[in-house]
Amino acid sequence: MDQIIDGFSQRLARRLLLERDSRGWSLADLAERSGVSKATISKIERAEVSPTAVVLVKLASAFDLTLAGLMLRAEAQSERLSKAAEQPVWRDPDTGYVRRQVFLRPDHPIELVTVEMPAHRSVTLPASSYIHIRQLLWVQSGQLTITEGAERHVLGPGDCLGFGPPIDTTFANESDAPCVYVVALARS
């Protein structure tokens, strides 16, 4: 899996540079639009560091893309059949969570992602990552606490949550075991 992750990091770095260049933006322009420092963006574009989920969401939002949309562009996958061995896998260097893009096509309204969140880890994603999408989260194993603004949901195996309006959201595994969940997204 590390080779897949490493190869994807290289493609992601190239894609970020291409997205920025295609808009004629300088590093300063992207930094201002995303809230990510120029130094960090430069290191990511040179594949010297792997960005965290939060940083990727900020960069994708600056390009008016979802995280999944940015990852699709990095992978340039357009097949109807998504073979497990070919699905892009990415590991968040900050939390260690692993995200697998199970299915995504630019001409299809539904995306499927699986995530494994390690024990005692969490990630907070900004409201901007939910603009133009609707999503459901279905826990396969373990326990996940989702906090949308002031609203807190504790989900166990088989539980499913439909997300509300865009708001900063925290995904937290407060347990001693990993949590695996599926996210289904639809573009609006």
Side-chain angles (χ1 to χ4, degrees):
M1 184 160 60
D2 287 337
Q3 288 178 337
I4 293 171
I5 292 170
D6 290 344
F8 184 71
S9 291
Q10 292 288 328
R11 291 188 297 278
L12 183 60
R14 284 192 301 270
R15 188 71 222 181
L16 288 168
L17 179 60
L18 180 63
E19 291 293 333
R20 184 172 62 79
D21 284 348
S22 70
R23 290 165 174 78
W25 294 355
S26 67
L27 282 172
D29 293 332
L30 181 54
E32 182 178 328
R33 286 175 163 86
S34 68
V36 177
S37 75
K38 291 189 312 184
T40 298
I41 295 168
S42 179
K43 287 178 184 176
I44 293 168
E45 287 180 351
R46 293 190 314 264
E48 292 176 1
V49 299
S50 182
T52 66
V54 172
V55 168
L56 274 180
V57 166
K58 288 179 179 182
L59 293 171
S61 294
F63 296 132
D64 200 26
L65 297 170
T66 64
L67 175 59
L70 176 63
M71 290 190 162
L72 171 69
R73 289 179 178 206
E75 193 58 37
Q77 182 177 334
S78 62
E79 294 292 322
R80 288 186 318 143
L81 175 62
S82 180
K83 294 272 193 179
E86 298 167 0
Q87 294 167 357
V89 177
W90 175 75
R91 182 183 316 273
D92 183 346
D94 193 33
T95 63
Y97 90 69
V98 177
R99 179 186 194 280
R100 175 181 292 275
Q101 187 71 50
V102 176
F103 183 82
L104 176 64
R105 286 186 42 168
D107 65 339
H108 200 286
I110 305 295
E111 301 171 21
L112 281 179
V113 173
T114 60
V115 175
E116 182 176 332
M117 179 71 75
H120 303 289
R121 295 298 198 171
S122 68
V123 64
T124 300
L125 299 178
S128 61
S129 63
Y130 304 107
I131 295 174
H132 308 300
I133 64 169
R134 301 284 301 182
Q135 68 178 3
L136 300 170
L137 186 145
W138 180 29
V139 175
Q140 301 298 290
S141 63
Q143 183 174 309
L144 189 69
T145 301
I146 299 173
T147 306
E148 297 175 287
E151 195 170 359
R152 180 179 159 96
H153 311 278
V154 179
L155 288 77
D159 292 344
C160 185
L161 174 68
F163 284 64
I167 191 167
D168 292 354
T169 303
T170 299
F171 301 78
N173 180 353
E174 299 168 344
S175 74
D176 294 328
C179 175
V180 176
Y181 56 93
V182 174
V183 180
L185 302 108
R187 295 177 196 91
S188 57

